[in-house]
Amino acid sequence: DISDNFKIIILGNLVEDFSKLSAAEKRQAPIMEIKSSNLHFGNIKKGNKVRGKFAIKNVGSNPLEIRRVTNNNSDITVSPMRMTIRGGKTENLHLDIDTKYLPKGEYKKTFSVQTNDPNRVVVVYVVDFNVI
């Protein structure tokens, strides 16, 4: 049977459609505020683990939902993967870098955070560091 020899893998990224929000709903929407989407870690000694954090503030009214973190880096962990931030509040996401299996050199890696902010549905973060 030929179907046993072939597989098709389909990957997708579903995002919400906010185009039908009323003016009142838009005024109440969560608003994600971040200082920067670039995270600089500087020099990390080979074999070490480093932890950092980055703040996400909701300057809107309704709760900001971190719906998903997409991270394809085996040496970087972002936690928590889901989070709710009430209006006017700030929460931290934690970022762990493990250099155990990384050769010495400069690195620039990315991951994305998906939210329910109609104006910032997906934010791509860039992490850079040097393994020495």
Side-chain angles (χ1 to χ4, degrees):
D1 184 61
I2 196 163
S3 64
D4 291 337
N5 296 323
F6 298 98
K7 290 183 183 178
I8 296 176
I9 298 173
I10 299 173
L11 299 175
N13 189 19
L14 300 176
V15 292
E16 294 175 67
D17 178 9
F18 294 105
S19 65
K20 297 188 180 11
L21 290 180
S22 69
E25 289 171 321
K26 287 179 183 175
R27 284 193 297 275
Q28 295 296 311
I31 301 170
M32 179 181 184
E33 182 179 273
I34 58 175
K35 288 189 192 296
S36 174
S37 60
N38 295 311
L39 306 170
H40 307 286
F41 279 82
N43 293 329
I44 304 171
K45 188 174 179 185
K46 172 137 179 71
N48 284 0
K49 293 180 182 178
V50 175
R51 172 168 263 204
K53 64 183 177 182
F54 55 100
I56 297 176
K57 184 173 185 178
N58 179 7
V59 295
S61 298
N62 285 337
L64 175 69
E65 300 284 337
I66 304 299
R67 299 279 168 90
R68 177 174 51 196
V69 174
T70 304
N71 174 19
N72 296 317
N73 303 290
S74 59
D75 41 40
I76 294 177
T77 306
V78 181
S79 59
M81 298 293 280
R82 294 176 179 264
M83 173 189 294
T84 300
I85 305 169
R86 292 180 295 149
K89 299 294 181 185
T90 301
E91 296 289 343
N92 291 314
L93 286 179
H94 295 276
L95 182 80
D96 295 300
I97 301 173
D98 185 352
T99 65
K100 183 176 182 179
Y101 298 108
L102 291 176
K104 291 181 180 180
E106 295 181 11
Y107 291 89
K108 187 173 278 194
K109 301 191 175 246
T110 63
F111 64 91
S112 62
V113 175
Q114 185 176 341
T115 75
N116 66 330
D117 176 342
N119 297 310
R120 286 190 120 161
V121 177
V122 177
V123 176
V124 176
Y125 283 88
V126 178
V127 181
D128 64 69
F129 55 94
N130 297 314
V131 176
I132 58 171

